[in-house]
């Protein structure tokens, strides 16, 4: 009988596209765009990516009841 070894290495993505970040947060993209105050990073020209760690901090703030501002809140004060 033949024996086979399988080595799998999984690397968690830190930077995510908008659709991935929305899915990660459990929100539809349109709700993510409206609710998420996390600013994307442009690592490559024309490519916006969201940092998983920043999204985690935002979710932790929401869970703790800390004030998080949406883009509309910020624009409303201007």
């Amino acid at each position: 009988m033949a024996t086979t070894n399988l080595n799998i290495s999984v690397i968690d993505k830190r930077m995510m596209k908008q659709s991935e970040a929305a899915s990660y947060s459990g929100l539809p993209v349109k709700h993510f765009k409206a609710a998420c105050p996390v600013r994307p990073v442009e690592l490559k020209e024309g490519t916006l990516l969201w940092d998983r760690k920043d999204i985690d901090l935002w979710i932790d703030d929401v869970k703790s009841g800390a004030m998080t501002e949406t883009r509309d809140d910020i624009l409303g004060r201007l």
Side-chain angles (χ1 to χ4, degrees), residues 70-78:
T70 65
R71 290 182 194 106
D72 291 337
D73 293 334
I74 296 167
L75 290 174
R77 287 198 316 266
L78 295 177

Side-chain angles (χ1 to χ4, degrees), residues 7-60:
N7 294 320
I8 298 175
S9 177
V10 177
I11 299 173
D12 286 335
K13 280 184 173 184
R14 178 170 171 179
M15 303 303 286
M16 300 177 281
K17 296 175 187 172
Q18 186 176 60
S19 60
E20 294 169 325
S23 179
Y24 178 77
S25 68
L27 296 172
V29 173
K30 76 177 195 173
H31 292 166
F32 177 81
K33 289 197 294 192
C36 183
V38 174
R39 295 190 60 157
V41 176
E42 189 173 13
L43 291 179
K44 178 184 169 196
E45 190 175 333
T47 303
L48 297 177
L49 299 171
W50 280 256
D51 189 328
R52 180 177 44 88
K53 291 181 180 183
D54 292 341
I55 293 172
D56 287 342
L57 289 173
W58 166 56
I59 292 170
D60 289 342

